[in-house]
Amino acid sequence: MIKVVNLKKQFGDNVVLKDISVTVTPGEAISVIGPSGSGKSTFLRCINGLEEITDGHIYVDELDIADPKVNIDTLRERVGMVFQSFNLFPHLSVTDNITLAPITLNKMSKADANKKAIELLKKVGLEDKAEVFPSSLSGGQKQRAGIARALAPRPHVMLADEPTSALDPATTKSVLACLKDINEKFNVTIVIVTHEMSVIRRLCNRVALLDKGKLLEVADVRDGQIHASTPIGQLLINED
């Protein structure tokens, strides 16, 4: 589903990602953890083309993001993104936020896009919020609306950048349940950046450990336990 080969990302003289190689299989849920500034969010942004990679290759469904001829709209259809700060358009209703990409990118009719939006809102438990504006939603509702919007183009991959960091424990649990359903019932591959070990234990089957832009280890998660062997991995796990 995703194959990263010798990825390098550099901003001026600052090398943020250093020779990263990892493969994510279809239907997998994998987390990316590491200290602040280790390159986690940049890694996600490289996968969906929000950041231009400096060197190396990222393949998504065999699309090579490093290829200057790659159609970025095709990539965005296959890779959905959920942001920490929700990034909903405040002047659009929840439904209009969700239908924007299908109408614009997929050339779907407004009627079909609205029907799809209602189906997605039912999946995330927000069907009664279809016509309201984001300002009237709670943090958890905004995040679930963001998940529905990311699902609208029917992506194969969902990227989530700390989607629960601003949420209370109860709301975090509902958002995680939503992501887990998407992963297990709809076979959407999930790559999530998080600082919360509880998120990893409930959602993921592997975890990638980044530190200072380097991939130190890819550890298994089995029965809610993270089997990291490197010192930084153990440190991050024990911080929970």
Side-chain angles (χ1 to χ4, degrees), residues 39-60:
K40 303 182 299 296
S41 294
T42 301
F43 179 67
L44 283 198
R45 293 171 66 86
C46 286
I47 293 175
N48 76 344
L50 285 173
E51 294 288 355
E52 184 177 347
I53 69 176
T54 304
D55 200 6
H57 296 271
I58 301 175
Y59 301 92
V60 178

Side-chain angles (χ1 to χ4, degrees), residues 41 44-45 48 50 76 79-88 124 139-153 155 157-165 167 175-176 178-179 182 188-194:
S41 294
L44 283 198
R45 293 171 66 86
N48 76 344
L50 285 173
R76 297 276 165 73
V79 182
M81 184 83 176
V82 179
F83 297 90
Q84 178 181 0
S85 54
F86 317 125
N87 284 22
L88 297 170
V124 299
Q141 289 170 335
K142 288 177 182 177
Q143 196 57 282
R144 283 184 282 153
I147 291 170
R149 181 181 62 180
L151 286 171
V157 177
M158 176 81 77
L159 307 178
D161 192 0
E162 299 196 45
T164 61
S165 64
L167 306 179
V175 170
L176 277 179
C178 182
L179 288 171
I182 290 164
V188 174
T189 303
I190 292 179
V191 183
I192 180 171
V193 165
T194 183

Side-chain angles (χ1 to χ4, degrees), residues 58-69:
I58 301 175
Y59 301 92
V60 178
D61 270 357
E62 299 183 356
L63 284 176
D64 185 357
I65 296 173
D67 186 347
K69 297 178 182 178

Side-chain angles (χ1 to χ4, degrees), residues 200-240:
I200 299 168
R201 293 185 179 110
R202 293 175 187 170
L203 178 65
C204 299
N205 53 291
R206 284 198 303 159
V207 54
L209 307 172
L210 289 183
D211 187 33
K212 298 178 182 177
K214 294 182 178 180
L215 179 62
L216 299 186
E217 181 180 12
V218 179
D220 289 333
V221 182
R222 297 190 299 273
D223 300 321
Q225 298 299 314
I226 304 167
H227 298 270
S229 60
T230 61
I232 186 66
Q234 290 298 321
L235 176 64
L236 291 167
I237 293 164
N238 291 333
E239 283 181 349
D240 181 42

